[in-house]
Amino acid sequence: QVQLVESGGGLVQAGGSLRLSCAASGSIHSIDAMGWYRQAPGKQRELVATITSGGSANYADPVKGRFTVSRDNAKKTVYLQMNSLKPEDTAMYYCNVNGVRTRLTYLGDYWGQGTQVTVSS
C-alpha cells in the first residue's frame, strides 16, 4: 500500500511564503508524475502544479511565476514552494502521485489527505 504524508500548510499574510512537502512511502519502485491540486470552499479541485520523473514541470496560470514545484526521486518526495501568496490561494492543498509502480506491479494513482493553506489579506 502507498501512503502520502503532507506537511507545511498554515496561515500566512498576503505576500508571504510557504513550502509544502509530500512524502510517499510503501513498496514503491517508481512514480511517474507528482504534483499538487487545491480545492477552495464551494469550488472544484484544480491543478496547481505537476512534475514528471524527468523534472518537467507544469503550472496552472494563476500560480505561474509565484510557485515552484520540485521533487526528490530518492526520497519519493514532492515540494511546492509558494511565494507572493494571495488571499485567493487559500484552499486545501492535495498531493497527488501518478503512475506508481512496485518492481512487479502497476499500482496507479494516490491522493494525500490535504493540508490547509490560508492567506490573510
Side-chain angles (χ1 to χ4, degrees):
Q1 189 60 280
V2 174
Q3 290 188 327
L4 301 178
V5 178
E6 299 155 326
S7 61
L11 173 64
V12 65
Q13 288 189 333
S17 298
L18 285 174
R19 188 189 194 216
L20 306 183
S21 299
C22 173
S25 62
S27 300
I28 300 170
H29 175 63
S30 65
I31 302 172
D32 289 344
M34 305 179 79
W36 296 91
Y37 290 72
R38 68 187 182 186
Q39 186 168 18
K43 295 187 177 181
Q44 291 188 331
R45 190 172 297 187
E46 62 179 9
L47 169 74
V48 176
T50 61
I51 184 167
T52 68
S53 57
S56 295
N58 177 54
Y59 297 93
D61 286 343
V63 308
K64 284 181 179 177
R66 300 188 297 122
F67 291 9
T68 302
V69 64
S70 61
R71 64 188 280 176
D72 184 326
N73 288 328
K75 294 182 178 180
K76 300 181 181 66
T77 299
V78 62
Y79 306 96
L80 184 68
Q81 178 66 44
M82 304 184 293
N83 298 329
S84 302
L85 282 160
K86 304 175 180 180
E88 51 263 44
D89 294 318
T90 295
M92 185 72 77
Y93 283 69
Y94 295 92
C95 172
N96 173 262
V97 293
N98 182 285
V100 181
R101 294 174 174 82
T102 69
R103 291 189 179 275
L104 299 176
T105 307
Y106 179 79
L107 298 179
D109 304 343
Y110 293 85
W111 290 91
Q113 295 291 326
T115 184
Q116 179 68 37
V117 171
T118 302
V119 184
S120 63
S121 57

